[in-house]
Amino acid sequence: MARSVRLRILALGHTATLGGAELALARLLDAVDPDRFEVRTLLFGDGPLAARLREGGHPVDVLALGDLAAAGRHAVGRTPLALVRNAARTLPFGVRLGRELRRLRPDVVYPNTLKAGLIGVPLARLLGLPVVWHLHDRISPDYLPPLMVRLIRFVARSAAAVVVNSDATAATLPGHPRLDVAPPGFGRDQVGPPPGTRVPPCPPVVGLLGRISPTKGQLVFVRAAARVLQRQPDVRFRIIGSAMFGAERYADEVHAEALRLGVGDAVEFTGFTPSPASALDDLTLCVHASPTPEPFGQVIVEAMIRGVPVVATAGGGATEIMRSAPGAELGWLVPPGDDEALATAISDALAHPDMALARAERAYASALERFPIERTADVVTGVWRRAARAR
Ligand code: GLC
């Protein structure tokens, strides 16, 4: 196909910190056919995502938004006054971004985060450019200030199309007329050997991988660890990840709780890992402990394709990923925010390695079939094409 008919996509991201949405974007762009789509990414700050994209051969520009890019989603729109003040502070940036959009005139503007869309969707509309907003967050009051929920839903309605990462996220945009579900996918390089070939560590290591945040439930994990240790004192626990987006206070709280419960020696904090796959390989069991419904939960799929058995909390995308026929479980699903139930599931999985292996084998096969990145790319590029055509 001739180069000239390639659709020109401008992806927007407000941060270059490697969170879930950013990793999902990097993997997506690796899978998009470069003969049909020319994707540029414009980030509102510099950082590891910019490097990761460039490594993959994807052009990146940085237009700095400053400290507003780092503000937590709760701080930005907690009160009407905060919202107005932040909108006003964003104005000069909006002017610069508008200039960039006018200069580049992409066929589709593609914001990949909440903040990128809140700024990018209205601007693109103003300039008459089709915009496809990819939402990785549940737009719901258990996750965002109510005012933000209303604002995001309103802005989302003016986008040519919205892509979400799960049915659970879709359900938080009730009545939205142009919604497609594209679960994030894994790249081939992420897949490990089949579960049966793994040698789990001894003594067992139970890990939670992800940024440290109240939405990821490290506190519940530490409390469950203390319960498991009463019964199985040789088990080791690992919290892999660092605090991002203003969650440092919560990280301190998690540390303090481990000490308070007297399990400081059994719970290791590794900090950020640049290689989640090998961190997962070192685990006997992977725990996902989000107390509020997870929008998707990429780490669950990552554990599945490394052959690591999973204990996850029900709700949101986690329930969708772990969905199975009765008797053919893909792991353990426990109620959210319940450290006792979590501890019971962890103990159960550790006490029955054959059962854990059988579940991990089913999970491996299921994830390989359902979540390859090519599927994600098919959906997203289809939406881009539709939006460009409707121009
Ligand atoms: C966000 C969500 C997470 C999801 C990821 C990719 O980080 O919190 O649940 O897996 O985006 O869509």
Side-chain angles (χ1 to χ4, degrees):
M1 190 174 282
R3 293 248 149 193
S4 57
V5 301
R6 291 197 302 171
L7 268 193
R8 291 167 53 250
I9 312 296
L10 183 68
L12 302 179
H14 80 274
T15 173
T17 309
L18 278 179
E22 290 70 34
L23 284 167
L25 175 69
R27 289 171 192 147
L28 172 73
L29 297 196
D30 287 344
V32 166
D33 182 353
D35 289 333
R36 306 167 90 165
F37 301 93
E38 182 188 330
V39 188
R40 269 199 103 71
T41 302
L42 197 134
L43 298 174
F44 304 173
D46 207 350
L49 174 63
R52 164 76 173 74
L53 290 173
R54 287 185 187 121
E55 256 164 49
H58 312 297
V60 179
D61 299 307
V62 174
L63 194 69
L65 171 59
D67 55 348
L68 210 60
R73 59 175 190 277
H74 286 281
V76 174
R78 196 193 307 276
T79 62
L81 186 65
L83 197 64
V84 170
R85 195 183 307 128
N86 285 314
R89 280 171 61 203
T90 312
L91 225 53
F93 175 80
V95 171
R96 282 193 291 143
L97 180 60
R99 236 180 261 141
E100 271 306 286
L101 294 186
R102 251 203 317 262
R103 189 176 69 80
L104 295 168
R105 287 216 83 78
D107 297 310
V108 176
V109 181
Y110 174 62
N112 184 59
T113 64
L114 280 186
K115 282 185 210 164
L118 281 174
I119 304 174
V121 172
L123 260 181
R125 292 275 318 199
L126 210 66
L127 297 170
L129 300 169
V131 54
V132 174
W133 194 0
H134 198 141
L135 285 167
H136 296 269
D137 298 286
R138 289 172 53 262
I139 310 308
S140 147
D142 62 14
Y143 194 68
L144 292 160
L147 195 62
M148 287 291 279
V149 170
R150 296 226 302 272
L151 179 67
I152 294 162
R153 287 182 181 164
F154 175 77
V155 173
R157 282 191 159 266
S158 70
V162 167
V163 178
V164 290
N165 53 0
S166 66
D167 292 334
T169 301
T172 65
L173 293 165
H176 196 289
R178 297 165 302 268
L179 207 57
D180 283 83
V181 180
F186 59 82
R188 255 172 252 282
D189 56 321
Q190 289 177 265
V191 180
T197 61
R198 263 170 50 83
V199 185
C202 187
V205 182
V206 179
L208 191 157
L209 173 67
R211 68 191 157 87
I212 301 187
S213 151
T215 57
K216 302 294 177 193
Q218 281 85 0
L219 208 50
V220 185
F221 178 70
V222 165
R223 291 179 184 147
R227 289 180 187 276
V228 173
L229 285 161
Q230 281 168 11
R231 303 186 281 252
Q232 292 146 292
D234 64 327
V235 182
R236 288 298 165 259
F237 292 83
R238 201 168 281 165
I239 293 181
I240 307 152
S242 59
M244 292 179 190
F245 312 129
E248 290 76 12
R249 268 233 312 273
Y250 177 75
D252 292 343
E253 211 181 310
V254 176
H255 276 277
E257 185 70 354
L259 296 180
R260 189 184 73 79
L261 294 168
V263 297
D265 290 341
V267 181
E268 182 194 355
F269 292 80
T270 67
F272 175 81
T273 175
S275 52
S278 56
L280 286 166
D281 290 347
D282 292 339
L283 301 179
T284 312
L285 188 64
C286 176
V287 169
H288 169 271
S290 301
T292 36
E294 183 71 37
F296 180 70
Q298 288 181 107
V299 72
I300 302 174
V301 172
E302 286 176 58
M304 287 173 161
I305 58 168
R306 298 309 296 185
V308 186
V310 176
V311 174
T313 46
T319 302
E320 289 168 39
I321 297 170
M322 304 282 281
R323 188 169 294 143
S324 68
E329 285 81 6
L330 305 183
W332 281 258
L333 260 189
V334 298
D338 182 342
D339 55 271
E340 194 174 341
L342 182 56
T344 304
I346 292 173
S347 294
D348 197 27
L350 294 179
H352 302 100
D354 289 350
M355 191 198 287
L357 176 59
R359 291 185 186 197
E361 274 171 342
R362 282 194 291 265
Y364 184 80
S366 171
L368 284 185
E369 190 200 319
R370 289 151 73 211
F371 301 113
I373 189 65
E374 291 74 19
R375 277 196 170 202
T376 320
D378 276 352
V379 177
V380 176
T381 56
V383 178
W384 287 346
R385 228 183 264 128
R386 228 168 52 214
R389 261 205 310 269
R391 190 176 189 170

